[in-house]
Amino acid sequence: MDTKRNQRTIAAPAAIEGVGYWSGEDVRVEFRPAPVDSGIVFVRGDLPGAPRIPAVIEHHVQTPRRTTLRLGRATVEMIEHLMAALAGMGIDNCELWVDRPEMPGCDGSCMPFVEALRAAGLLEQDAPRRQRVIDRVIRLGNCESWIEARPCCSGKRVLRYELDYGSGSPIGRQSLEISLSPRHFHVNLAPSRTFLLESEAAEIKARGLGRRATCRDLLVFGPKGPIDNQLRFPDECVRHKMVDMVGDLALAGCDLVGRFVAYRSGHRLNAELVRAIVAENHSEKQLKHCA
Ligand SMILES: [Zn+2]
């Protein structure tokens, strides 16, 4: 991604409707333009007083298999694909008015959001986008799964993901490295869909969740590959893990410049890395203030 650029918002409102995977509830998301330095903000228009939840790591709460924000009593969950669409296209300021806590699953990818935002058009704003340059290695996790941020000599944002379900799994091992740009994101990452194993889908259904989601709405892998569905890329799974990473890293609230490498990382570790980067930034500011 171009690391020295102006902030952007959308030129006009846009909306998208769908069903939440977990809750099965119908939900509508309306994207609205927002002024410079306002960031990405979710607004729960269905709750009294329309509470606002800025999409920053301070409001992140841990939930399984998805990314959730909470501020006071207001929650928004499954936000990662919306965040990825905005971050991937370089949209920094936007209000997302929603009428349910869970965001729509759509086809499992962030392409429907990207298309809605592209149709609205982008607007460059008269202020530079803040960025954070990674200047030392930060590594979290263990040998089973880990993520790290390290300085990047090219001054770009480079992402690498290594997915490993083991050689006996229908998903297997896949790896991908990219230098993030809006065009690359749109063409190569945005169409990739969320996925899970048949056993994981059965467990979710047994808990009474995901009643309206079918094998056509996301990728469910049986022993021989996707059930009742076809891959959009041979390595669609690792591409989608990268989409999740782009969405989660956006919770930093600024452009991160550096090299980000993940091995079997998920939303929890992604968020912990952002928390560590932001905390380091704060402690540096405090040191400068004391000096
Ligand atoms: Zn995802």
Side-chain angles (χ1 to χ4, degrees), residues 61-100:
V61 289
Q62 212 64 257
T63 42
R65 305 185 69 101
R66 58 199 186 278
T67 301
T68 301
L69 302 174
R70 185 174 301 144
L71 182 55
R73 291 185 179 178
T75 300
V76 282
E77 58 184 294
M78 198 78 198
I79 63 160
E80 59 267 27
H81 301 160
L82 278 165
M83 292 298 293
L86 291 159
M89 296 176 67
I91 298 170
D92 314 300
N93 303 305
C94 189
E95 279 187 358
L96 285 76
W97 284 69
V98 301
D99 60 359
R100 289 286 184 279

Side-chain angles (χ1 to χ4, degrees), residues 138 140 147-149 249 260 269-277:
I138 304 173
L140 301 169
I147 187 166
E148 68 175 27
L249 292 179
F260 300 85
L269 268 181
N270 295 349
E272 282 181 18
L273 180 69
V274 175
R275 208 179 289 279
I277 292 168

Side-chain angles (χ1 to χ4, degrees), residues 17-48:
E17 293 178 2
V19 177
Y21 278 151
W22 298 83
S23 63
E25 288 183 330
D26 291 307
V27 54
R28 183 175 196 272
V29 180
E30 186 181 328
F31 303 92
R32 298 184 186 176
V36 156
D37 291 331
S38 54
I40 307 299
V41 181
F42 287 86
V43 186
R44 281 291 302 275
D46 57 319
L47 297 180

Side-chain angles (χ1 to χ4, degrees), residues 95-279:
E95 279 187 358
L96 285 76
W97 284 69
V98 301
D99 60 359
R100 289 286 184 279
E102 187 185 348
M103 299 305 102
C106 301
D107 67 349
S109 80
C110 68
M111 193 54 125
F113 306 131
V114 168
E115 284 174 346
L117 292 164
R118 279 170 62 88
L122 303 194
L123 189 69
E124 187 160 310
Q125 297 171 295
D126 192 20
R129 171 66 165 165
R130 201 166 57 85
Q131 60 175 224
R132 160 85 177 158
V133 178
I134 304 298
D135 54 11
R136 74 173 188 93
V137 177
I138 304 173
R139 185 178 167 117
L140 301 169
N142 54 35
C143 60
E144 296 284 309
S145 60
W146 52 264
I147 187 166
E148 68 175 27
R150 55 174 56 237
C152 181
C153 53
S154 64
K156 293 182 176 174
R157 188 185 327 176
V158 175
L159 305 181
R160 180 177 178 81
Y161 194 96
E162 295 186 22
L163 175 143
D164 189 355
Y165 272 71
S167 54
S169 157
I171 297 172
R173 298 189 177 117
Q174 302 172 10
S175 67
L176 184 66
E177 179 164 325
I178 61 153
S179 176
L180 195 62
S181 71
R183 177 169 162 69
H184 191 291
F185 182 84
H186 179 211
V187 174
N188 296 307
L189 298 184
S192 64
R193 293 161 294 174
T194 195
F195 62 93
L196 71 175
L197 296 171
E198 192 176 16
S199 56
E200 295 170 319
E203 190 220 328
I204 289 168
K205 296 255 180 190
R207 286 162 49 207
L209 299 166
R211 287 190 303 272
R212 290 173 71 187
T214 73
C215 293
R216 307 293 298 172
D217 302 318
L218 72 171
L219 293 172
V220 179
F221 278 83
K224 292 180 181 167
I227 299 170
D228 201 19
N229 215 326
Q230 290 194 329
L231 292 175
R232 292 177 179 170
F233 305 96
D235 60 349
E236 185 167 352
C237 293
V238 74
R239 291 177 192 240
H240 186 79
K241 295 299 279 188
M242 206 164 265
V243 165
D244 286 342
M245 205 169 153
V246 170
D248 290 339
L249 292 179
L251 292 175
C254 62
D255 282 352
L256 296 175
V257 180
R259 182 176 159 81
F260 300 85
V261 184
Y263 173 70
R264 302 183 72 222
S265 169
H267 296 299
R268 182 182 63 79
L269 268 181
N270 295 349
E272 282 181 18
L273 180 69
V274 175
R275 208 179 289 279
I277 292 168
V278 170

